[in-house]
């Protein structure tokens, strides 16, 4: 293989080593640049000599400043870059964008489960949620018992899922930040894949009352079944179990009647997320996913992206994409709220970048953020959703979440996603049992090594073997196939699922 390095913009003064084994000292790249040292795959080579304080540019943007002299052909990484200040939120101007009205042909469809509230599921799942961590032992027991004894009797039901969490008691229930975990639990119970058939298991003495979590039925009543373990009619553990099993059967009978029907792409709600990112994520996996996101939005569907600290340093590129000044201000407000949240913990956005990110060539959060936002595509941002809220508008939404994979996934479920696209460069077995998770690799080296964990390899883009547009269309069609139940994602085949984790910025008592 020839020596390959990639520039992301004509303005770039560094390039990314694409060779899977890296490049050795003495290798010649681009316009005769000779490597001064061995440089691993995904890492940056200096295309010019830098004096201390000079700008390091990737994606056509400043990702840092040389903190010492760097020779042309040298390895540029976190040890010789100092990080710039984040964009000043008050100084980012807003100019209403020119929005081109383009649409996809209307014949793109998938087979989904239509719900009475107008939402559409991609799975058919019995959901069990809890009002307090105290009952988690019983819900885990029940989940296994239902799966073994009842699910075989209801072949149209895909699974049973218990959502346990560490909230519900020992908390300041009326603190202002408490609304975030409370509405998260409530909105997860309304996820389209549950079809409105949700069971809530409470203890009885907790501060978070199960009635606060029950979804509302079309007739205005509660559409959930609630059972308190402290109910005095139960004599011992097995009577509690029998009561829950009877309740489960009632819901399973209704879920078993659900059938897949032809649905429009406009019924898709796709959450975009990346984790275990590397320097290729912003070159391949994220732009391919962003192209697919644009196709879904053009067809009337809904896409959202998240992870505040992975947006913060690219927010100046996103404000001009907001469809109104009100949406632009909401976006800035969420950035400011999170800045304050981090300051309270004596942390800042630089804490985001992991050892794995740096091992994959991402020197700092600025570089990571500039590649991360590309998965949002190019569509206008129609709304900004605070943590734990549900989406209100079709189109591209920013759903504010921490960057932690499982916390972000939890909040995206609460926002209402029925499909998940997860882009990774370093690899992760991350999965959610409530929605299908399409795992996209940013490089073919990972896809080959994790051949039974990766669903889609965007790596060919790096070597010009396929274009972003070609692979974006492939991913779009894969999303429709998986949403229809025609194919299974790797995590569903293997049964690999993460626990959901609430974002709770409120105080404990």
């Amino acid at each position: 293989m020839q020596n390959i390095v990639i520039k992301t913009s004509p303005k770039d003064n560094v390039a990314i080593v694409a060779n899977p084994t890296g490049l050795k000292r003495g290798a010649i790249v681009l316009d005769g640049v000779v490597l001064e040292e061995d440089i691993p795959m995904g890492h940056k080579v200096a295309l010019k000599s830098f004096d201390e304080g000079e700008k390091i540019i990737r994606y056509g943007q400043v990702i840092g400043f040389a903190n010492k002299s760097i020779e042309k052909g040298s390895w540029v990484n976190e040890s010789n870059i100092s990080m710039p200040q984040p964009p000043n939120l008050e100084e980012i101007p807003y100019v209403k964008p020119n929005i081109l009205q383009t649409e996809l042909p209307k014949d793109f469809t998938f087979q989904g489960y239509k719900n009475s509230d107008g939402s559409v599921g991609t799975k058919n799942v019995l959901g069990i949620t809890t009002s307090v961590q105290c009952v988690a032992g019983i819900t885990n027991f029940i989940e296994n018992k239902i799966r073994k004894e009842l699910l075989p009797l209801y072949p149209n039901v895909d699974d049973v899922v218990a959502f346990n969490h560490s909230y519900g008691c020992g908390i300041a229930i009326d603190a202002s930040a408490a609304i975030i975990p409370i509405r998260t639990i409530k909105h997860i119970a309304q996820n389209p894949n549950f079809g409105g058939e949700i069971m809530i298991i409470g203890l009885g003495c907790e501060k978070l009352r199960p009635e606060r979590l029950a979804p509302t039925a079309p007739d205005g009543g509660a559409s959930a079944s609630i059972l308190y373990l402290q109910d005095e009619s139960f004599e011992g553990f097995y009577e509690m179990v029998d009561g829950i099993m009877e309740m489960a059967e009632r819901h399973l009978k209704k879920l078993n009647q659900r059938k897949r029907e032809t649905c429009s792409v406009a019924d898709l709600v796709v959450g975009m997320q990346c984790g275990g990112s590397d320097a290729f994520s912003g070159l391949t996996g994220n732009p391919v996913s962003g192209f697919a996101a644009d196709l879904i939005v053009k067809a009337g569907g809904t896409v959202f992206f998240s992870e505040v600290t992975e947006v913060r340093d690219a927010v100046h590129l996103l404000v001009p994409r907001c469809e109104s000044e009100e949406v632009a201000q909401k976006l800035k407000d969420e950035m400011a709220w999170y800045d304050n949240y981090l300051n309270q913990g004596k942390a800042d956005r630089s804490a985001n970048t992991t050892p794995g990110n740096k091992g994959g060539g991402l020197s700092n959060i600025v570089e990571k953020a500039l590649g991360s936002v590309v998965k949002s595509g190019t569509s206008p941002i129609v709304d900004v959703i605070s943590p734990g809220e549900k989406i209100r508008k079709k189109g591209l939404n920013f759903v504010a979440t921490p960057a932690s994979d499982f916390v972000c996934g939890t909040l995206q479920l609460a926002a209402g996603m029925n499909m998940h696209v997860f882009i990774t460069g370093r690899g992760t077995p991350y999965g959610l049992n409530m929605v299908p998770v399409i795992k996209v690799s940013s490089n073919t080296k990972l896809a080959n090594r994790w051949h039974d964990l990766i669903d889609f390899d965007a790596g060919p883009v790096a070597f010009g073997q396929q274009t972003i547009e070609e692979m974006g269309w492939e991913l779009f069609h894969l999303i429709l196939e998986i949403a229809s139940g025609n194919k299974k994602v790797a995590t569903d085949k293997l049964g690999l699922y993460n626990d959901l984790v609430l974002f709770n910025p409120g105080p404990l008592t």
Side-chain angles (χ1 to χ4, degrees), residues 4-7 14-18 42-44 58 279-280 283 367:
I4 301 175
V5 295
I6 300 171
K7 286 176 66 175
V14 293
I16 306 302
V17 172
H43 286 256
K44 294 177 287 296
R58 187 186 174 203
F280 287 94
L283 293 171
E367 182 180 10

Side-chain angles (χ1 to χ4, degrees), residues 132-181:
V132 67
Q133 167 66 18
C134 307
V135 306
I138 284 188
T139 52
N140 287 334
F141 180 91
I142 284 292
E143 181 186 54
N144 291 329
K145 188 174 176 67
I146 291 171
R147 187 173 288 117
K148 290 176 184 175
E149 298 178 15
L150 294 183
L151 276 190
L153 306 176
Y154 301 97
N156 292 333
V157 182
D158 296 321
D159 204 356
V160 53
V161 174
F163 172 30
N164 294 316
H165 53 81
S166 57
Y167 201 69
C169 213
I171 53 173
I173 194 74
D174 295 319
S176 59
I179 191 60
I180 292 176

Side-chain angles (χ1 to χ4, degrees), residues 244-323:
I244 300 172
M245 292 291 279
E246 288 175 15
M247 188 165 69
E249 279 209 87
R250 293 197 300 271
H251 288 281
L252 285 168
K253 286 176 182 176
K254 293 180 182 178
L255 287 171
N256 201 52
Q257 294 171 10
R258 295 176 93 198
K259 305 289 183 186
R260 289 189 183 270
E261 303 174 57
T262 300
C263 300
S264 165
V265 175
D267 294 316
L268 283 175
V269 183
V270 182
M272 295 282 175
Q273 189 185 346
C274 51
S277 301
D278 70 350
F280 287 94
S281 295
L283 293 171
T284 61
N286 287 346
V288 165
S289 299
F291 188 91
D294 283 344
L295 295 178
I296 293 165
V297 171
K298 287 175 184 176
T302 303
V303 174
F304 42 76
F305 67 113
S306 298
E307 303 166 282
V308 173
T309 50
E310 293 184 24
V311 164
R312 181 66 177 88
D313 281 279
V315 70
H316 60 296
L317 304 178
L318 297 175
V319 167
R321 286 175 52 194
C322 293
E323 77 166 8

Side-chain angles (χ1 to χ4, degrees), residues 44-344:
K44 294 177 287 296
V45 56
L47 300 179
K48 65 179 286 292
S49 294
F50 294 89
D51 293 329
E52 184 176 350
E54 273 199 85
K55 296 174 180 177
I56 311 291
I57 299 174
R58 187 186 174 203
Y59 298 113
Q61 302 283 323
V62 177
I63 64 168
F65 301 93
N67 60 24
K68 59 184 177 183
S69 296
I70 302 174
E71 292 298 316
K72 185 179 184 178
S74 296
W75 181 3
V76 178
N77 55 49
E78 68 274 11
S79 69
N80 51 24
I81 297 179
S82 61
M83 201 163 70
Q85 290 297 311
N88 186 316
L89 296 171
E90 294 180 1
E91 294 178 0
I92 302 173
Y94 174 75
V95 177
K96 190 173 179 65
N98 271 330
I99 299 172
L100 298 176
Q101 299 297 330
T102 56
E103 292 186 0
L104 279 176
K106 298 297 184 184
D107 55 350
F108 287 105
T109 60
F110 71 100
Q111 298 298 303
Y113 298 99
K114 293 184 178 180
N115 298 318
S116 59
D117 64 357
S119 66
V120 171
T122 58
K123 280 188 173 184
N124 188 21
V125 177
L126 172 63
I128 305 173
T129 193
T130 62
S131 56
V132 67
Q133 167 66 18
C134 307
V135 306
I138 284 188
T139 52
N140 287 334
F141 180 91
I142 284 292
E143 181 186 54
N144 291 329
K145 188 174 176 67
I146 291 171
R147 187 173 288 117
K148 290 176 184 175
E149 298 178 15
L150 294 183
L151 276 190
L153 306 176
Y154 301 97
N156 292 333
V157 182
D158 296 321
D159 204 356
V160 53
V161 174
F163 172 30
N164 294 316
H165 53 81
S166 57
Y167 201 69
C169 213
I171 53 173
I173 194 74
D174 295 319
S176 59
I179 191 60
I180 292 176
I182 293 170
R183 69 189 178 202
T184 300
I185 302 168
K186 179 176 180 177
H187 289 154
I188 285 177
Q190 298 172 25
N191 188 276
N193 288 352
F194 294 142
E197 299 299 321
I198 195 81
M199 296 171 20
I200 302 176
I201 309 301
L203 184 59
C205 57
E206 62 269 31
K207 292 180 181 177
L208 178 57
R209 309 311 297 161
E211 292 79 9
R212 284 187 76 171
L213 307 175
T216 303
D219 62 5
S223 65
S225 295
I226 296 172
L227 185 142
Y228 286 102
L229 298 183
Q230 290 177 347
D231 189 322
E232 293 187 5
S233 66
F234 294 131
E235 296 288 342
F237 171 73
Y238 285 104
E239 282 203 6
M240 297 176 196
V241 170
D242 289 343
I244 300 172
M245 292 291 279
E246 288 175 15
M247 188 165 69
E249 279 209 87
R250 293 197 300 271
H251 288 281
L252 285 168
K253 286 176 182 176
K254 293 180 182 178
L255 287 171
N256 201 52
Q257 294 171 10
R258 295 176 93 198
K259 305 289 183 186
R260 289 189 183 270
E261 303 174 57
T262 300
C263 300
S264 165
V265 175
D267 294 316
L268 283 175
V269 183
V270 182
M272 295 282 175
Q273 189 185 346
C274 51
S277 301
D278 70 350
F280 287 94
S281 295
L283 293 171
T284 61
N286 287 346
V288 165
S289 299
F291 188 91
D294 283 344
L295 295 178
I296 293 165
V297 171
K298 287 175 184 176
T302 303
V303 174
F304 42 76
F305 67 113
S306 298
E307 303 166 282
V308 173
T309 50
E310 293 184 24
V311 164
R312 181 66 177 88
D313 281 279
V315 70
H316 60 296
L317 304 178
L318 297 175
V319 167
R321 286 175 52 194
C322 293
E323 77 166 8
S324 70
E325 193 161 5
E326 179 187 9
V327 174
Q329 189 58 52
K330 282 185 183 178
L331 183 62
K332 293 180 187 180
D333 289 346
E334 287 296 340
M335 299 297 109
W337 186 93
Y338 213 84
D339 284 352
N340 183 56
Y341 167 74
L342 291 174
N343 287 337
Q344 289 175 12

Side-chain angles (χ1 to χ4, degrees), residues 473-494:
W473 273 105
E474 284 185 33
L475 179 57
F476 173 73
H477 287 296
L478 180 62
I479 289 169
L480 297 185
E481 284 289 291
I482 289 171
S484 299
N486 296 332
K487 290 184 178 179
K488 272 192 170 185
V489 294
T491 53
D492 282 343
K493 292 176 187 174
L494 298 168

